[in-house]
């Protein structure tokens, strides 16, 4: 069971940041780079992408404009926004416009892999079910405003990540290598993520089952 | 004899008549005297009445002045002082009536106004600090993100080290360093070593250096005029470098950069740096001098903020003189050398 290589579009005006994201994701996915929103739209018009990973602050067309355009014209494409400075209004605005998630720089390469994997999962679910795009925020605006942005989003993402990783491990009977392969993550990266989220793969190994194939 | 008798009678009658007349005259005179005396008394009385009235008026006026007009004038003067911005104003009217209460109210109002003012200043300072922190976070988190990302990637992967990754780490660390230097520059006060400076020589040198670095080889550069300014050469060179480099970038691949050094006028020299770029967007015009505001992908957003801070430390300024779809002009003003210290 090998995960299909997904087409990922990375949009960032900082050259080294684009290169880093490509180096993180290229081993598992087909990565295309764009230096700003306008270039990204041109690329989206010529080919389809499953996930767009975009910076917020960019000249000409910025990340907020881009997520609005993508959701309007390519509703099945998931957008993950990246920012070097997170603020509550910006996060609320991104999610309101339909972004799947909002991650903060500096980030751990494993987390980038995981957020892309989860965004892809959602893309595939929606593509197969043809669910109409709904911009349903993971937490209400008031909830986001009460807690600090970081706490709110980090706890929401942690919960989401834990649920996802548990479901993934369960589906593969605790076999980390096969789970990693299916999710498009490196085996070591998945191991680190499991450790970080306090999930033990052994729990999902069912002696009653025949190895979980 | 009868005649004599008659004459006698007549004479007596005449005497009587005269006496009567004299008497009448005397009584008329008496009457007149009386009338005059009465008149005199009336005038005196009138005068006395006027004097008394005047004295009373003065006394009442003085009383009113000290009890009403003076406190009201004090209030008016205090209100004027507050109007002029002096929030330390206080009124001292130690009385138990309405005016006393009014003055105490006034003082209470001033106390709460001072508190509000203090809070407002604090809020403004916090807002300034917040936007500054956001800028610093943005400018540093990007390069730190690249450094950390590559460091983790390199440590975890068993592949041989890619020199390109190391180069990226190096570049981004250098970038962090530049941001911090820029911030220090922005907040560093004083320390100007003012000497006479040949502005033409500085501009020519800056243009030459940027050319050597390979900036916009197809952009035409013109420098006109000569002037001498009073200032710190290293810092003024930085201002000129920022503006000329910006002009090169604004031109893109082709265009023209014109630097105009104007003769000193009223102790002020002017340098205008113009480009043939596409101009500054309307919504960016008010913000280009804000620290960390940038419209360029590689810009830190500190160049113009630093340039302005340096020019102002010299007693001059940097301003956006004009901008349109056909180009932009920035104007630097500095104290001239000829005019002495301004």
């Amino acid at each position: 069971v090998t995960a299909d290589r997904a087409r990922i579009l990375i949009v960032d005006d900082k050259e080294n940041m684009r290169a880093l994201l490509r180096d993180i994701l290229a081993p598992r996915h087909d990565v295309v780079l764009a230096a700003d929103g306008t270039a990204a739209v041109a690329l989206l018009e010529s080919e389809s992408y499953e996930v767009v990973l975009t910076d917020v602050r960019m000249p000409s067309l910025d990340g907020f404009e881009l997520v609005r355009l993508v959701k309007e014209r390519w509703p099945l494409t998931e957008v993950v926004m990246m920012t070097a400075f997170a603020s509550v209004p910006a996060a609320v605005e991104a999610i309101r416009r339909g972004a799947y998630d909002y991650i903060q720089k500096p980030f751990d390469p494993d987390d980038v892999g995981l957020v892309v994997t989860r965004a892809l999962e959602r893309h595939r679910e929606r593509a197969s079910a043809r669910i109409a795009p709904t911009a349903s925020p993971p937490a209400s605006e008031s909830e986001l405003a009460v807690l600090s942005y970081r706490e709110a989003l980090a706890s929401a993402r942690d919960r989401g990540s834990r649920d996802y990783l548990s479901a993934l491990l369960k589906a593969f009977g605790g076999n980390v290598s096969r789970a990693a392969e299916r999710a498009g993550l490196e085996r070591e990266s998945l191991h680190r993520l499991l450790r970080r989220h306090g999930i033990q793969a052994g729990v999902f190994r069912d002696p009653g089952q025949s190895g979980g194939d | 004899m009868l005649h004599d008798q008659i004459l006698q009678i007549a004479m007596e009658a005449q005497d009587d008549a005269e006496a009567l007349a004299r008497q009448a005259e005397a009584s008329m005179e008496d009457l007149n005297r009386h009338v005059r005396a009465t008149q005199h008394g009336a005038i005196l009385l009138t005068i006395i009445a006027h004097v008394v009235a005047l004295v009373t008026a003065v006394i009442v006026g003085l009383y009113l002045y000290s009890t009403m007009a003076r406190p009201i004038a004090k209030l008016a003067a205090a209100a004027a002082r507050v109007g002029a911005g002096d929030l330390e104003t206080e009124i001292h009217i130690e009385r138990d009536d309405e005016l006393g209460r009014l003055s105490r109210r006034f003082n209470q109002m001033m106390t709460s106004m001072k508190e509000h003012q203090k809070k407002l200043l604090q809020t403004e300072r916090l807002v300034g600090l917040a936007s500054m922190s956001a800028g610093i976070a943005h400018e540093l988190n990007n390069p730190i993100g690249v450094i950390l990302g590559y460091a983790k990637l390199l440590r975890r992967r068993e592949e041989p080290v890619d020199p390109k990754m190391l180069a990226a780490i190096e570049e981004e660390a250098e970038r962090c360093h530049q941001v911090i230097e820029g911030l220090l520059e922005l907040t560093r006060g004083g320390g100007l070593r003012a000497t006479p400076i040949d502005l033409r020589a500085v501009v020519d040198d800056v243009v030459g250096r940027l050319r050597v670095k390979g900036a916009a080889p197809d952009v035409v550069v013109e420098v006109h005029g000569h002037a001498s300014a009073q200032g710190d050469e290293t810092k003024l060179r930085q201002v000129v470098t920022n503006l000329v480099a910006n002009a090169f970038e604004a031109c893109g691949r082709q265009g023209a950069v014109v630097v105009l050094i104007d003769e000193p006028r009223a102790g002020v020299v002017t340098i205008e740096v113009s480009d043939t770029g596409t101009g500054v967007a309307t919504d960016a015009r008010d913000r280009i001098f804000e620290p960390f505001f940038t419209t360029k992908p590689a810009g830190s957003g500190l160049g113009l903020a630093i340039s302005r801070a340096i020019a102002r430390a010299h007693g001059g300024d940097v301003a956006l003189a004009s901008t349109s779809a056909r180009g932009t002009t920035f104007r630097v003003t500095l104290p001239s050398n000829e005019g002495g210290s301004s």
Side-chain angles (χ1 to χ4, degrees):
Chain A
V1 212
T2 308
D4 300 327
R5 289 177 74 85
R7 290 183 57 77
I8 316 275
L9 178 60
I10 288 165
V11 195
D12 198 307
D13 59 334
K14 308 277 192 286
E15 192 186 343
N16 284 330
M17 186 54 79
R18 287 198 297 275
L20 168 66
L21 289 162
R22 181 200 57 214
D23 289 340
I24 292 170
L25 296 168
R28 297 275 163 175
H29 304 288
D30 295 332
V31 178
V32 176
L33 308 178
D36 59 43
T38 316
V41 170
L43 286 163
L44 281 157
E45 274 168 349
S46 59
E47 272 184 280
S48 74
Y49 292 85
E50 279 113 310
V51 177
V52 173
L53 203 61
T54 180
D55 189 24
V56 172
R57 245 178 36 177
M58 290 181 296
S60 71
L61 195 81
D62 73 6
F64 290 121
E65 267 304 286
L66 183 62
V67 70
R68 192 185 58 75
L69 266 175
V70 169
K71 287 285 124 181
E72 203 177 282
R73 299 180 57 186
W74 302 279
L76 285 178
T77 299
E78 293 297 344
V79 181
V80 175
M81 307 200 70
M82 301 176 291
T83 177
F85 180 72
S87 69
V88 179
V92 170
E93 183 61 15
I95 288 160
R96 197 179 66 75
R97 292 189 186 204
Y100 172 72
D101 206 345
Y102 192 84
I103 61 173
Q104 197 181 338
K105 298 172 185 172
F107 42 67
D108 190 301
D110 291 341
D111 288 332
V112 175
L114 184 60
V115 79
V116 166
T117 296
R118 293 187 52 206
L120 266 174
E121 203 72 26
R122 165 140 135 176
H123 165 81
R124 284 169 184 151
E125 266 173 36
R126 285 182 38 220
S128 59
R130 280 272 158 201
I131 301 167
T134 49
S136 55
S140 72
E141 292 191 18
S142 57
E143 222 178 306
L144 275 175
V146 171
L147 293 168
S148 91
Y149 161 73
R150 245 180 250 223
E151 286 168 32
L153 206 58
S155 75
R157 189 180 305 118
D158 271 357
R159 209 171 38 245
S161 298
R162 251 196 324 276
D163 292 350
Y164 173 76
L165 291 170
S166 303
L168 184 69
L169 263 284
K170 198 174 174 191
F172 289 90
N175 187 327
V176 177
S177 305
R178 294 191 41 226
E181 202 152 321
R182 170 66 187 85
L185 292 166
E186 284 172 56
R187 203 175 69 86
E188 278 313 305
S189 176
L190 182 55
H191 268 300
R192 280 192 298 271
L193 288 165
L194 291 173
R195 261 202 306 282
R196 186 128 58 81
H197 290 281
I199 299 166
Q200 289 181 327
V203 176
F204 302 100
R205 283 189 204 111
D206 187 354
Q209 277 188 349
S210 56
D213 282 50
Chain B
M1 286 331 268
L2 185 65
H3 177 255
D4 285 345
Q5 268 182 334
I6 292 166
L7 197 67
Q8 185 71 34
I9 291 164
M11 280 171 66
E12 277 174 11
Q14 199 183 353
D15 283 348
D16 280 351
E18 277 178 8
L20 206 67
R22 271 198 303 278
Q23 218 175 355
E25 224 167 73
S27 63
M28 270 308 284
E29 215 158 278
D30 260 4
L31 187 68
N32 269 345
R33 232 187 345 262
H34 185 73
V35 166
R36 273 200 302 276
T38 311
Q39 235 172 11
H40 188 73
I43 288 169
L44 202 69
L45 210 69
T46 310
I47 290 171
I48 289 168
H50 272 93
V51 168
V52 168
L54 194 70
V55 169
T56 313
V58 167
I59 290 169
V60 170
L62 279 173
Y63 173 76
L64 281 177
Y65 173 70
S66 67
T67 57
M68 301 281 294
R70 207 167 47 182
I72 289 171
K74 264 189 182 177
L75 273 167
R81 278 207 302 280
V82 174
D86 179 9
L87 294 186
E88 295 302 318
T89 308
E90 266 186 37
I91 312 176
H92 298 286
I93 302 174
E94 303 303 335
R95 282 162 45 153
D96 225 17
D97 58 1
E98 278 77 5
L99 283 169
R101 278 198 289 280
L102 184 61
S103 76
R104 284 191 290 280
R105 279 271 182 219
F106 183 92
N107 291 342
Q108 278 168 7
M109 181 187 81
M110 289 319 298
T111 311
S112 71
M113 234 162 116
K114 270 187 282 188
E115 271 165 27
H116 280 297
Q117 180 86 349
K118 217 195 267 174
K119 274 183 201 156
L120 201 70
L121 273 176
Q122 254 168 354
T123 314
E124 264 173 30
R125 238 175 264 148
L126 280 177
V127 167
L129 195 66
S131 95
M132 191 81 175
S133 309
I136 297 172
H138 192 269
E139 278 318 303
L140 288 179
N141 278 339
N142 259 308
I144 288 172
V146 173
I147 295 167
L148 274 178
Y150 271 128
K152 286 184 177 173
L153 216 55
L154 287 171
R155 194 158 59 85
R156 286 169 192 173
R157 283 188 185 163
E158 284 130 34
E159 299 150 31
V161 172
D162 184 343
K164 268 190 282 183
M165 294 183 184
L166 290 179
I169 290 177
E170 213 175 302
E171 268 174 46
E172 297 299 320
E174 181 56 41
R175 205 177 160 71
C176 291
H177 175 67
Q178 275 167 12
V179 170
I180 290 162
E181 281 300 303
L183 271 174
L184 287 174
E185 188 65 59
L186 202 61
T187 50
R188 207 177 277 152
L192 291 178
R193 282 178 307 170
T195 53
I197 299 159
D198 178 354
L199 290 176
R200 177 59 185 255
V202 170
V203 172
D204 283 341
D205 186 57
V206 165
V207 170
R209 278 170 199 261
L210 287 170
R211 281 287 199 216
V212 169
K213 278 190 182 172
D218 295 328
V219 172
V220 180
V221 185
E222 288 175 28
V223 183
H224 302 286
H226 289 270
S228 177
Q230 186 73 22
D232 188 312
E233 182 165 350
T234 320
K235 291 185 187 282
L236 290 184
R237 183 180 289 274
Q238 203 178 337
V239 175
V240 174
T241 307
N242 274 332
L243 293 177
V244 175
N246 279 353
F248 272 130
E249 279 185 55
C251 285
R253 295 188 53 187
Q254 280 188 327
V257 172
V258 178
V259 184
L260 203 69
I261 305 166
D262 207 5
E263 308 238 308
R265 241 171 260 165
V268 175
V269 287
T270 311
I271 309 172
E272 288 190 342
V273 183
S274 307
D275 63 61
T276 51
T278 52
V280 182
T282 318
D283 55 347
R285 280 171 206 170
D286 293 336
R287 304 194 55 203
I288 48 173
F289 289 101
E290 277 177 27
F292 299 113
F293 179 81
T294 184
T295 56
K296 300 184 290 185
S300 67
L302 286 174
L304 283 176
I306 291 170
S307 299
R308 175 173 267 184
I310 291 173
R312 287 188 174 173
H314 280 80
D317 205 353
V318 179
L320 177 66
S322 70
T323 185
S324 73
R326 286 203 303 268
T328 301
T329 300
F330 281 94
R331 182 183 296 133
V332 188
T333 48
L334 292 168
S336 78
N337 196 22
E338 287 97 66
S341 61
S342 61

